[in-house]
Amino acid sequence: MRSTTGREIRRVAVIGTGLMGHGIAQAFAMRGYEVNLLSRRNESLRKALQEIEWSITKFVEKGKISRDAAEAALSRITTTTSYGKAAADIDLAVECVSENMELKRKVFAKIDETAPSHAIIATNTSTLSVTEMGKATGRPDKTVGMHWFIPPQLTRLIEVVKGNDTSSETINAIMDVSRELEKTPILCKKDSRGFIVSRILVAVFNEAFWTFRRGEASMEEIDASARYIGGFPMGWFELVDFVGVDLEYNVSKILHQAHGERFQPCLELTEPLVKEEKLGQKTGMGFYDWSKGRPYIPSGLAGKYDVERSWAVAVNEAAWMVLEDVAEPKSIDVGMKLGTGWPSGPCEYADKKGLDTILDKLEAAYSQHKTALYKPCPLLKDYMNKGWTGKKAGQGFYKYK
């Protein structure tokens, strides 16, 4: 629980009691931190505690913790509807409210008013600007992104995001705390929209959407190929349903605005579903019918979509991140494997497959469709000019002996 800010992080406030909020509160409490869980309504707090109790009981039933440890963890969680009580004596606040910049800025400002001067304020945002939230406080150097993944009490990955004003001391403290929580932190070195994991996922989603929109393959053919040939845990349409069509819809628009035509979203597919509230698994209907459980995708349809195009756009977006100094190849690879369950990270995949092969795939798609999604990142061409074609050449995204 030590930090590099000169103070030990022991007391944490978690603002928000949704799926992420109560899971994050549980994760801290189970590792010995004192947690103040804040919500506007007592009913939300009551439900959050019930969810935490249910989840911790599952840990006990599976033999991962003792009943005494479970009771001790629950005793470390205090609920409140008051910012004054939640933040008065804390070392770290983690904001987990809805993805709305105005709301998040208000939360940051309220924490700033009541928290001790040494306290760090972190946001769990997946796409919004950490820098802008920090500007709502008098401590922008102590504001940081701490993006967890669903469910936070189980998943190992945390994206740590440096805002323009975030100090290195703050970054080091959150990296340390993440490790104390038995998580694996990866560093997003710049406040870039989508950070690491979402940027690559949305690029891959867009490739699948536009392929379907052009009539090149059916939804089921794309998903079967992704699962049974690509080795991905879910097909791309299936995964969008799982995370929420509305979430993908909103994130895709943010990334398009931030990164330009490379992220041109296929709103013709997602917008009607959002308007009809067919949001995926959570509503029982999205691209697939989830009313009877996970959709059946026949393995016999695999091979009718070239899943190497999924890999190619993922590698291309990874290259853009490296070129822009947003993230290191290892952080990108660890993020995609731990955050999404991919069988390989895009950088290590490219090195193994051969960057020349990836570049050929992108150039062929770009020549055929003339869309920025497939336009090769200059870094890939630079690597090719240097002869850095991957593992076979001893150099690619990584160096090999």
Side-chain angles (χ1 to χ4, degrees), residues 362-376:
L362 288 168
E363 288 179 333
Y366 183 65
S367 175
Q368 182 178 2
H369 301 294
K370 297 296 190 294
T371 176
L373 174 66
Y374 303 117
K375 189 174 183 179

Side-chain angles (χ1 to χ4, degrees), residues 282-297:
K282 61 188 173 184
T283 60
M285 179 66 73
F287 286 108
Y288 292 101
D289 181 355
W290 291 78
S291 60
K292 296 180 181 178
R294 184 175 179 177
Y296 172 67
I297 301 171

Side-chain angles (χ1 to χ4, degrees), residues 216-270:
E216 297 173 36
S218 71
M219 184 172 69
E220 292 84 358
E221 287 168 348
I222 292 169
D223 280 4
S225 298
R227 281 178 58 182
Y228 303 117
I229 296 177
F232 297 102
M234 286 187 169
W236 304 131
F237 290 88
E238 183 185 17
L239 181 56
V240 171
D241 270 359
F242 182 75
V243 301
V245 180
D246 52 337
L247 178 61
E248 195 285 333
Y249 172 76
N250 291 327
V251 171
S252 69
K253 291 196 294 182
I254 291 170
L255 294 188
H256 182 219
Q257 183 179 23
H259 302 293
E261 292 309 298
R262 194 169 74 253
F263 278 93
Q264 177 68 48
C266 190
L267 300 182
E268 296 94 331
L269 292 186
T270 54

Side-chain angles (χ1 to χ4, degrees), residues 13-220:
V14 177
I15 297 87
T17 55
L19 178 62
M20 298 304 292
H22 72 69
I24 291 170
Q26 176 183 333
F28 274 108
M30 289 178 65
R31 291 297 298 163
Y33 294 82
E34 298 293 328
V35 180
N36 295 332
L37 183 58
L38 172 68
S39 178
R40 290 176 298 175
R41 297 179 297 144
N42 283 311
E43 178 62 17
S44 298
L45 292 167
R46 186 185 66 79
K47 289 181 179 179
L49 277 181
Q50 287 179 341
E51 294 287 345
I52 292 170
E53 289 175 3
W54 177 87
S55 179
I56 287 181
T57 298
K58 291 296 180 182
F59 277 86
V60 174
E61 290 175 353
K62 293 178 180 179
K64 293 184 177 181
I65 61 172
S66 68
R67 192 164 298 279
D68 286 346
E71 291 176 358
L74 287 169
S75 72
R76 286 190 282 268
I77 300 174
T78 301
T79 60
T80 182
T81 58
S82 164
Y83 273 90
K85 292 180 180 178
D89 187 27
I90 60 167
D91 308 299
L92 169 66
V94 183
E95 167 275 311
C96 309
V97 301
S98 302
E99 286 286 272
N100 177 287
M101 178 56 79
E102 186 177 350
L103 175 59
K104 288 180 181 290
R105 282 176 58 88
K106 287 179 179 177
V107 170
F108 265 54
K110 287 181 179 179
I111 298 168
D112 186 47
E113 289 174 5
T114 52
S117 61
H118 72 274
I120 294 170
I121 309 176
T123 174
N124 182 50
T125 184
S126 59
T127 54
L128 300 178
S129 172
V130 174
T131 305
E132 287 303 308
M133 293 178 213
K135 289 178 179 178
T137 76
R139 62 183 91 191
D141 60 315
K142 292 185 175 69
T143 59
V144 64
M146 190 181 191
H147 178 219
W148 300 59
F149 289 74
I150 298 174
Q153 63 270 48
L154 293 177
T155 51
R156 290 172 54 197
L157 184 70
I158 291 178
E159 284 181 321
V160 179
V161 185
K162 186 182 186 304
N164 294 351
D165 304 307
T166 308
S167 69
S168 57
E169 290 80 10
T170 297
I171 289 294
N172 290 337
I174 298 303
M175 296 289 280
D176 284 349
V177 167
S178 299
R179 296 185 187 102
E180 290 282 356
L181 291 165
E182 297 187 338
K183 306 295 185 181
T184 301
I186 58 173
L187 178 61
C188 186
K189 296 188 284 183
K190 291 184 178 178
D191 193 5
S192 174
R193 300 286 66 71
F195 311 140
I196 296 172
V197 174
S198 291
R199 272 182 68 167
I200 290 181
L201 273 184
V202 171
V204 172
F205 291 157
N206 282 341
E207 205 289 314
F209 289 168
W210 285 113
T211 296
F212 172 66
R213 186 79 172 81
R214 291 189 297 258
E216 297 173 36
S218 71
M219 184 172 69
E220 292 84 358

